[in-house]
Amino acid sequence: MDMQNLTLEDLEKGVDLLAEMDADEAPQLLALKSEIAKSLYADLNGLMRAPGDDPLAGLSYLAPPQDLEADFDEPLVLSASRCTKAIIATVVRAAMLILDLYGLRASLKTKKAIESGMKSQVPEKAFNGFQTLIEKLSTASGAKDKGLAFYNLMQGMDNLNIIKIVTKSAKQDMNFREWVKFGLLFGLQVSAWFLSGGIAFAAQVGLTVVSAVELGKSANEVRTCC
């Protein structure tokens, strides 16, 4: 997706997508939709902004990120089987790779926020539906097949609202203005990936998926213990 070719209409659509991803922040996002779009359009195109002319200046989260540092060593699901834990670990690593594909290196706090969001919002049994998708990712050979397998895994994650969890979790690394810009553009990027179809996505990111060592180890463990 070419950021500099985005129109004001595209950016307003991005605000709507971000509001869908985070209902807590939706009221102020939608109230300022036009102003946010104009502000980010100026950012993306290097346009001058009058001093003090920033609708996001001084705004903060309606739902601030939680302080999760104390829970870093707590397993995501204590009661889960080894198979389920391997599946969950792979999904978490896939979520981190999605951020990496977008160009964002997430912190440990964001990783923990993703884990905590999945624990609270995704039923444990739902993760078992990822087993086949992960096994196909593990056995796929070559960049094209790896990329296509990852695309299918990403769609499964989106169906369980895990992409939304990833977006909300990025609050850990950003102030409100940074997060709005990230979340809006990230939502548009993910939509573009899905609209492009699996083959186009695979061609774009296949080599990155092949080189994702930790994701590959997790996927192989699912094959071993499930």
Side-chain angles (χ1 to χ4, degrees):
M1 183 176 66
D2 187 346
M3 300 296 184
Q4 291 189 335
N5 285 332
L6 292 174
T7 65
L8 285 172
E9 183 179 5
D10 293 330
L11 293 170
E12 288 189 358
K13 178 184 176 184
V15 177
D16 289 333
L17 288 172
L18 182 55
E20 290 176 10
M21 291 185 194
D22 195 329
D24 293 327
E25 308 298 341
Q28 62 180 335
L29 291 172
L30 296 177
L32 294 169
K33 178 164 67 173
S34 178
E35 291 86 350
I36 291 171
K38 290 175 183 177
S39 178
L40 294 187
Y41 183 84
D43 284 358
L44 295 172
N45 291 279
L47 303 177
M48 295 295 291
R49 185 190 297 122
D53 183 20
D54 184 355
L56 296 176
L59 293 182
S60 58
Y61 295 113
L62 295 178
Q66 292 179 288
D67 184 0
L68 299 169
E69 290 184 273
D71 297 325
F72 273 171
D73 296 327
E74 179 185 349
L76 181 58
V77 180
L78 289 169
S79 62
S81 66
R82 183 185 170 197
C83 172
T84 301
K85 287 180 180 177
I87 290 172
I88 293 172
T90 305
V91 174
V92 171
R93 288 196 168 104
M96 301 296 280
L97 181 58
I98 291 170
L99 288 175
D100 197 40
L101 291 172
Y102 175 75
L104 181 69
R105 180 67 65 178
S107 71
L108 183 60
K109 290 183 78 172
T110 291
K111 177 179 180 290
K112 188 61 189 179
I114 291 171
E115 292 177 339
S116 296
M118 287 168 49
K119 179 179 180 180
S120 63
Q121 298 174 49
V122 181
E124 183 179 325
K125 290 182 179 179
F127 287 104
N128 295 330
F130 285 110
Q131 181 177 341
T132 299
L133 294 172
I134 292 171
E135 288 176 348
K136 287 182 178 179
L137 176 65
S138 176
T139 58
S141 59
K144 180 180 176 181
D145 288 345
K146 284 283 189 188
L148 186 57
F150 187 81
Y151 175 86
N152 292 331
L153 176 59
M154 187 168 67
Q155 282 194 314
M157 294 167 67
D158 189 50
N159 290 338
L160 287 178
N161 292 323
I162 293 175
I163 302 298
K164 290 184 180 180
I165 293 171
V166 171
T167 305
K168 294 177 71 171
S169 298
K171 289 179 178 181
Q172 295 285 346
D173 289 335
M174 304 175 188
N175 63 38
F176 184 72
R177 191 186 198 287
E178 292 169 338
W179 177 78
V180 169
K181 184 174 182 178
F182 153 74
L184 186 159
L185 297 176
F186 181 62
L188 289 172
Q189 179 66 80
V190 171
S191 295
W193 283 337
F194 286 141
L195 287 173
S196 72
I199 295 176
F201 177 85
Q204 181 183 354
V205 308
L207 288 175
T208 303
V209 177
V210 168
S211 63
V213 176
E214 293 302 317
L215 177 64
K217 288 180 180 178
S218 288
N220 289 335
E221 186 173 354
V222 172
R223 287 181 59 210
T224 301
C225 63
C226 291

